[in-house]
Amino acid sequence: MLKRRRTARFKRNVRNASPNRRRITLKNIHKKILHRRRQFAMIQVEEPAAQP
């Protein structure tokens, strides 16, 4: 099971950033989120197979 991420500090940093920086940062964090979702999906798929 993946741990919950704390995003409040990140969101505050993004809000105070310049528009270009904000766009880049949001794109990066979005890629991270998608990656974590895919990881979580793989874990979910493997769990039923792991139990006999």
Side-chain angles (χ1 to χ4, degrees):
M1 190 69 186
L2 294 174
K3 288 183 188 169
R4 189 159 167 252
R5 291 279 165 109
R6 302 270 181 243
T7 58
R9 181 179 47 185
F10 164 76
K11 285 179 177 174
R12 189 177 64 239
N13 290 343
V14 168
R15 259 202 305 271
N16 296 335
S18 68
N20 285 342
R21 179 88 186 113
R22 188 179 306 144
R23 198 171 300 123
I24 292 164
T25 318
L26 284 173
K27 189 176 75 177
N28 289 348
I29 197 73
H30 187 63
K31 275 168 37 178
K32 273 188 185 177
I33 290 168
L34 291 180
H35 178 69
R36 283 176 64 77
R37 279 195 188 151
R38 197 174 304 126
Q39 267 187 326
F40 182 71
M42 294 300 282
I43 292 169
Q44 293 296 312
V45 167
E46 287 170 10
E47 268 179 9
Q51 296 182 5

